[in-house]
Amino acid sequence: MPFTAVVKLVKKQGSRNRPLSRCFFASRRLTSWRISSFGLMRSVASASVPGPLQRRPKKPPNAFLMFSEEYRGQLKEENPDLSPKALVSLVAERYRNLDESTKQSYATQAQAMSEKWKQEVKSYAETLTEDEKQQIQQYYHKRKEDAQKRQKRAEARAQRANMPARNLSAFSFFIREFVSVHRSEFSQPREVMRAAAHEWNQLNDDEKKPFVDQAAADKSRYKEEMEQYLSRKQEATTQPAKRPANVFALFVKDSMSAQKGVTMQQASEQWRKMSDADKQVYRDKAADLRQQYKKDKVEGDGQA
């Protein structure tokens, strides 16, 4: 790894109060990452879909997907500047505005394709041997295990991201200063560490005192931040994020607060008669609440 890159890592780690010793082994970690990444690619290839599942009939699209496949390309040509998300929203809006007969036409085609697919799946299942069934079972079991591992890693990352940075030692503070002064004199991280260690050993107690004082202050900072972190963690454990109401529940709440004595049946009837434009207000509100709920939940999981 070029020395300039190491210096950047040192500055970055130092600014976040991370242990500087990690930076000088970055090249080794990167090499290990490259090796492990190739191993990961091999493991993914080895865990590919087994042959029996590759022969399984593909599930047909529903009515909306059929409409999307037919008109998505045309709408994209007409609106080349739209983002993929905006394009999907436009397709969905066009589908909602279709007349009932056209919608029924797509639904009928989708239903016919679905019935045919169910018969094909039934015939496919009858052709499977016991060994092939075992392969499929092992494949889905492996997928479930991998998903659980990814979830645990994501939770661990979220927790580490919210934890306070560990305090630095006096030697780490000395390294930061040493690198900033002598960065142009060395070409290899190992040489920097060797020279810094030699220089540190030559210092007397009075010369080391400024770095010892910085380390003591950083230790106090870490202790205080850790106490705050544990306090937030306890609050997040005792007060989990509350799941937000859905679109219809928001409408019912507004309806019952505005009209005294409205029953659930009457509210449901009003909802069915509402236009899509009026319903969109509640959809947007529900989407905002879901977004806030996810944010609060991630913060709570990270602090827990």
Side-chain angles (χ1 to χ4, degrees):
M1 172 181 276
F3 183 70
T4 53
V6 174
V7 171
K8 289 180 180 178
L9 280 172
V10 169
K11 288 183 176 180
K12 181 178 179 182
Q13 295 284 358
S15 64
R16 296 173 58 192
N17 290 324
R18 298 292 184 185
L20 295 174
S21 57
R22 299 178 188 174
C23 305
F24 297 99
F25 297 95
S27 61
R28 183 178 299 176
R29 291 208 314 272
L30 286 173
T31 303
S32 301
W33 177 84
R34 293 189 187 101
I35 295 172
S36 62
S37 66
F38 287 117
L40 176 62
M41 291 170 64
R42 287 197 297 270
S43 66
V44 169
S46 63
S48 58
V49 180
L53 271 182
Q54 294 179 7
R55 302 197 312 268
R56 190 176 190 270
K58 186 177 179 180
K59 189 173 183 179
N62 58 25
F64 171 70
L65 290 178
M66 290 176 63
F67 173 81
S68 178
E69 291 174 0
E70 186 174 346
Y71 286 97
R72 183 185 175 89
Q74 176 184 337
L75 292 175
K76 188 174 182 179
E77 290 180 1
E78 296 174 356
N79 305 273
D81 297 331
L82 283 182
S83 65
K85 183 178 179 180
L87 184 60
V88 171
S89 299
L90 179 60
V91 173
E93 181 183 357
R94 293 290 179 89
Y95 181 76
R96 285 195 300 268
N97 293 333
L98 289 177
D99 57 81
E100 290 302 323
S101 62
T102 306
K103 277 188 180 180
Q104 186 59 41
S105 169
Y106 284 106
T108 302
Q109 295 179 56
Q111 181 65 24
M113 295 172 67
S114 178
E115 293 298 330
K116 181 182 178 182
W117 171 74
K118 289 178 182 178
Q119 292 298 324
E120 291 175 348
V121 169
K122 184 177 179 181
S123 302
Y124 155 80
E126 293 172 352
T127 63
L128 292 175
T129 64
E130 290 300 321
D131 183 56
E132 289 175 332
K133 291 179 182 178
Q134 186 69 18
Q135 290 182 42
I136 294 174
Q137 185 177 3
Q138 291 175 353
Y139 168 73
Y140 281 116
H141 180 70
K142 180 69 167 57
R143 282 186 58 180
K144 184 177 179 180
E145 285 185 340
D146 291 345
Q148 291 172 345
K149 290 179 181 177
R150 287 194 298 271
Q151 178 65 22
K152 288 182 179 179
R153 287 196 295 268
E155 291 173 355
R157 285 195 299 271
Q159 182 174 355
R160 289 194 298 270
N162 286 279
M163 289 183 66
R166 290 297 299 261
N167 57 295
L168 299 181
S169 65
F171 181 54
S172 295
F173 280 105
F174 171 75
I175 290 177
R176 183 192 298 179
E177 182 174 308
F178 185 87
V179 169
S180 65
V181 175
H182 302 283
R183 72 175 97 184
S184 60
E185 301 175 16
F186 303 94
S187 59
Q188 296 295 329
R190 186 176 299 177
E191 296 176 5
V192 179
M193 287 296 293
R194 188 181 295 116
H198 177 75
E199 185 74 17
W200 175 258
N201 291 331
Q202 301 302 314
L203 299 179
N204 57 39
D205 291 342
D206 290 337
E207 292 171 326
K208 289 182 179 180
K209 190 175 185 305
F211 305 105
V212 173
D213 292 342
Q214 290 182 63
D218 197 39
K219 185 176 180 179
S220 300
R221 184 271 314 163
Y222 174 70
K223 183 178 179 180
E224 181 181 351
E225 291 182 359
M226 181 56 75
E227 290 175 353
Q228 296 173 358
Y229 166 76
L230 293 175
S231 176
R232 293 195 303 270
K233 179 180 177 181
Q234 182 63 29
E235 292 176 2
T237 303
T238 56
Q239 299 179 359
K242 185 178 179 182
R243 186 176 293 276
N246 59 26
V247 179
F248 179 65
L250 291 173
F251 166 74
V252 171
K253 182 179 178 181
D254 285 354
S255 179
M256 289 186 171
S257 62
Q259 307 174 51
K260 300 298 182 182
V262 174
T263 64
M264 181 65 72
Q265 184 176 359
Q266 291 171 334
S268 299
E269 185 65 27
Q270 292 175 6
W271 175 258
R272 283 195 293 270
K273 293 180 179 179
M274 284 181 66
S275 65
D276 284 338
D278 292 334
K279 289 181 179 179
Q280 190 61 41
V281 175
Y282 293 99
R283 293 191 185 104
D284 294 340
K285 187 175 181 180
D288 292 339
L289 291 174
R290 283 196 302 272
Q291 191 69 23
Q292 184 62 40
Y293 168 74
K294 290 178 181 179
K295 181 180 178 182
D296 294 343
K297 192 172 186 299
V298 168
E299 292 177 354
D301 292 343
Q303 295 169 5

